[in-house]
Amino acid sequence: MVVAEFVSELRARFGIEFKDLSILDEAFTHSSYANEHRELGISDNERLEFLGDAVLELTVSDYLYRKFPNLPEGELTRMRAAIVQTKSFSSFSREAHFDKYIKLGNGEEAAGARQRNTLLEDLFEAFCGALYLDQGRAAVIKFCQQVIFPHIDAGEFRGISDFKTALQENLQQDGNADIHYEEVSITGPGNARQFNIDVYVDDKLLGSGSGKSKKRAEQAAAKAALVGLGVIS
Amino acid sequence: MVVAEFVSELRARFGIEFKDLSILDEAFTHSSYANEHRELGISDNERLEFLGDAVLELTVSDYLYRKFPNLPEGELTRMRAAIVQTKSFSSFSREAHFDKYIKLGNGEEAAGARQRNTLLEDLFEAFCGALYLDQGRAAVIKFCQQVIFPHIDAGEFRGISDFKTALQENLQQDGNADIHYEEVSITGPGNARQFNIDVYVDDKLLGSGSGKSKKRAEQAAAKAALVGLGVIS
C-alpha cells in the first residue's frame, strides 16, 4: 500500500485525498515491481497511464484554447506538444515529489530507473488517470492549476509564437494602447490567396505582415512590430 | 448561420440543441469559406478541431478503459489509434450527415472537398469541440454513445486482440463456464522473465501461452484456446 507519508503530502501540498487508496497504489506501481511481487496479484500503472495521457491532453487543450483566443490551431497544437512531452511531464513529476514514491523492482532500482525521465512521465500520467477515476476531471483540472498551468502562464511553452498577444502585453505595460490591424490587400490566385496586413498602435504603423489567412498575416505583422520595438530579434 | 434543416436534424436524430448556434456555425465553417467571405468576419473551424480532437481522445479512452478491464495498455493504445483516425472519423461524420452541412469556398467545393476524408474527420472533431464548449463533456459522451460506441461494441476495432474477453464471450454463449488461468512456470533470467500459463474451462485444459508478463501469457493462452475451439485460425 501507499506509504502514509505520501498520503499526508498529497493532502498538505495539493489538498488531494483519495477515496480509493488502492487506485493510488496502482498508479505508483511500476511493472518491474508488479513482476517481482507476483504473489501479491497487483496491477502495474500502465493502464492508468493510458487513461491519464488522454485526461491530460484534454485538460491542457482546454486551458490553451481558452487562454489564447487569438492563437491559430497550428500554434495551439505546437504548444500542446511542447507541454505534453517527456521533458515537461517528468519535471512536473519531480516537482510533485512523485519520484520519491514510485515502487520499483530491485533490478530497475539498481539501474537508476527512479530518475529516468520516461518513467517519471508515465508516472505523472498514471497519477492523473487515477485522480480522474477516483474524483473526476474537476480534480485533475485543480491539480493542473497547481502543477502545470503556472508554467504556461509564465510563458514557458510559448516561445514567442503568439505574437499578437505578446505585442498587446508589451504595449499595455505602459497603460492602454489602441492596437488595430488593417488589411492592405489580398494578392495571389483564388486557391493561394495571400493576405497583407498592417498593425497600428494609436495610428502609428508598427509593422506589416503577410500570410495565407487573415490570422496568420496578423501574427506576421505583430511579429514585425515586436522586432521593430526591439522586443525580439 | 447554420441552416434550420440541420438544427432540426440534430434535435431529431441526436437530441442535441445548441444554446449558442454561432459556435455550431463555426464548427461547420471550412477555412476556404471563411477566406472567401472575409467581409463577414467569421472564424473557421480549426481551433474547434484542436479542442474536439482532445475531447474525443479522452471520451474514447475512458470508454475503452472501462469496457476492457483485462486489456493491457498496449492493446488499449492500438484500439484507440484504430478508432481515432481519419477513416473512422470521416465515416462517423457521414453517418451523422455532417457532409451535407459543411460550408466550403467555391474552389474547394469544385475540387470535391465535401467528400474528402480528412475534411470530414476535421469536421467531426470540430463538431465535438463545439458540443463540448456549448454543453460540456457529458453531451459529447452521449453523442459518442450514439455514433462511436456501437461500433466498438460490435467489435469493429478489436481485431481479436483481447483474446481473454473473446474466449469468455464465446464460452458463455452456452451458459456459465468456469474459466481459470494457472501459472505453470516462470522461466528465463530476472530481467527477461517469461511466464507460462494454461487456461482451463471446467477443469479441461484448453490452451497454453507464454509472455513477458502474466497478462500477456494469459492472452496467449486464451488465443491458443480460441484456435483450438476453431473460433479463430
Side-chain angles (χ1 to χ4, degrees):
Chain A
M1 260 302 162
V2 239
V3 291
E5 183 192 351
F6 182 38
V7 174
S8 305
E9 188 171 346
L10 278 181
R11 190 190 305 120
R13 290 190 63 195
F14 302 110
I16 294 173
E17 293 210 54
F18 271 73
K19 292 173 210 137
D20 178 0
L21 280 177
S22 72
I23 206 159
L24 177 60
D25 194 46
E26 184 176 323
F28 280 77
T29 301
H30 190 255
S31 57
S32 63
Y33 185 91
N35 284 338
E36 276 188 20
H37 298 272
R38 294 197 40 270
E39 72 286 358
L40 302 173
I42 50 177
S43 301
D44 65 37
N45 66 2
E46 292 181 0
R47 282 173 44 90
L48 287 172
E49 173 205 334
F50 165 84
L51 187 61
D53 163 74
V55 176
L56 282 162
E57 178 106 355
L58 176 56
T59 306
V60 167
S61 300
D62 186 311
Y63 190 72
L64 293 177
Y65 181 90
R66 294 176 206 263
K67 184 175 172 74
F68 300 107
N70 294 316
L71 217 52
E73 175 273 332
E75 283 303 314
L76 290 173
T77 300
R78 194 202 55 73
M79 272 189 78
R80 178 170 68 189
I83 299 164
V84 180
Q85 57 143 320
T86 307
K87 193 171 149 244
S88 313
F89 278 3
S90 60
S91 105
F92 301 148
S93 222
R94 287 194 185 89
E95 222 173 286
H97 300 175
F98 287 174
D99 52 327
K100 278 174 71 177
Y101 300 108
I102 175 88
K103 293 193 289 186
L104 293 169
N106 292 325
E108 282 291 69
E109 185 76 84
R114 187 170 293 276
Q115 288 304 325
R116 196 185 291 149
N117 281 352
T118 49
L119 180 142
L120 292 174
E121 172 195 17
D122 294 346
L123 177 58
F124 188 75
E125 293 174 344
F127 174 79
C128 289
L131 186 59
Y132 170 77
L133 281 182
D134 194 66
Q135 299 178 35
R137 203 163 72 85
V140 179
I141 295 171
K142 191 175 157 229
F143 176 66
C144 290
Q145 278 165 351
Q146 298 166 281
V147 174
I148 300 184
F149 299 166
H151 293 276
I152 299 176
D153 295 347
E156 278 178 36
F157 304 103
R158 209 169 68 194
I160 306 188
S161 54
D162 180 9
F163 297 106
K164 273 184 78 172
T165 303
L167 180 63
Q168 192 173 8
E169 285 172 2
N170 184 272
L171 292 172
Q172 290 183 342
Q173 283 171 3
D174 314 319
N176 270 340
D178 173 29
I179 305 167
H180 56 280
Y181 292 82
E182 274 188 34
E183 183 182 302
V184 182
S185 59
I186 306 176
T187 51
N191 61 349
R193 287 223 175 120
Q194 178 166 292
F195 297 89
N196 305 294
I197 283 174
D198 287 344
V199 56
Y200 290 85
V201 61
D202 298 329
D203 293 327
K204 187 182 160 205
L205 176 65
L206 281 195
S208 305
S210 301
K212 70 175 197 139
S213 71
K214 192 179 162 187
K215 272 186 185 157
R216 278 167 219 222
E218 286 176 354
Q219 288 288 342
K223 183 178 180 183
L226 286 165
V227 171
L229 291 166
V231 178
I232 59 174
S233 57
Chain B
M1 261 300 163
V2 238
V3 289
E5 183 192 351
F6 182 37
V7 173
S8 305
E9 189 173 346
L10 278 181
R11 190 192 304 121
R13 292 191 62 195
F14 303 109
I16 294 172
E17 293 210 54
F18 271 74
K19 292 174 211 137
D20 178 1
L21 280 177
S22 73
I23 206 159
L24 177 61
D25 194 47
E26 184 175 324
F28 280 76
T29 302
H30 189 255
S31 58
S32 63
Y33 184 91
N35 284 339
E36 277 189 19
H37 297 271
R38 292 198 40 268
E39 72 285 359
L40 301 172
I42 50 178
S43 300
D44 64 39
N45 67 2
E46 293 182 359
R47 282 173 45 90
L48 287 173
E49 174 204 335
F50 164 84
L51 186 61
D53 163 75
V55 176
L56 282 162
E57 179 106 355
L58 176 57
T59 306
V60 167
S61 301
D62 186 311
Y63 189 72
L64 294 177
Y65 181 89
R66 295 177 206 262
K67 184 174 173 71
F68 301 106
N70 294 315
L71 219 52
E73 174 273 332
E75 282 303 313
L76 290 172
T77 300
R78 194 201 55 73
M79 273 188 77
R80 178 170 67 190
I83 300 163
V84 180
Q85 56 144 323
T86 307
K87 193 170 148 246
S88 312
F89 278 3
S90 60
S91 106
F92 301 148
S93 222
R94 285 192 187 90
E95 223 173 285
H97 300 175
F98 287 174
D99 52 328
K100 278 175 72 178
Y101 301 109
I102 175 87
K103 294 194 288 188
L104 292 169
N106 291 326
E108 282 290 68
E109 186 77 83
R114 186 170 294 276
Q115 288 305 322
R116 195 185 292 148
N117 281 351
T118 50
L119 180 143
L120 292 174
E121 172 195 17
D122 295 346
L123 176 58
F124 188 76
E125 293 174 344
F127 174 78
C128 288
L131 187 58
Y132 170 77
L133 281 181
D134 194 66
Q135 297 178 35
R137 203 163 74 85
V140 178
I141 295 170
K142 190 173 158 231
F143 176 66
C144 290
Q145 279 165 351
Q146 297 166 281
V147 174
I148 300 184
F149 300 165
H151 293 277
I152 298 175
D153 295 346
E156 279 178 37
F157 304 103
R158 208 169 68 191
I160 306 188
S161 55
D162 180 8
F163 298 105
K164 274 184 77 173
T165 303
L167 180 63
Q168 194 174 5
E169 285 171 1
N170 184 272
L171 293 171
Q172 291 183 341
Q173 283 170 1
D174 314 319
N176 270 339
D178 173 29
I179 305 167
H180 56 280
Y181 292 82
E182 274 189 35
E183 183 182 303
V184 182
S185 59
I186 306 176
T187 51
N191 60 350
R193 286 221 176 123
Q194 177 165 294
F195 298 90
N196 306 294
I197 283 175
D198 287 345
V199 58
Y200 291 85
V201 61
D202 298 329
D203 294 327
K204 187 183 159 204
L205 177 65
L206 282 194
S208 305
S210 300
K212 68 173 199 146
S213 71
K214 193 179 161 186
K215 272 186 186 156
R216 278 168 218 221
E218 286 177 352
Q219 287 287 344
K223 184 178 179 183
L226 287 165
V227 172
L229 292 167
V231 178
I232 59 172
S233 58

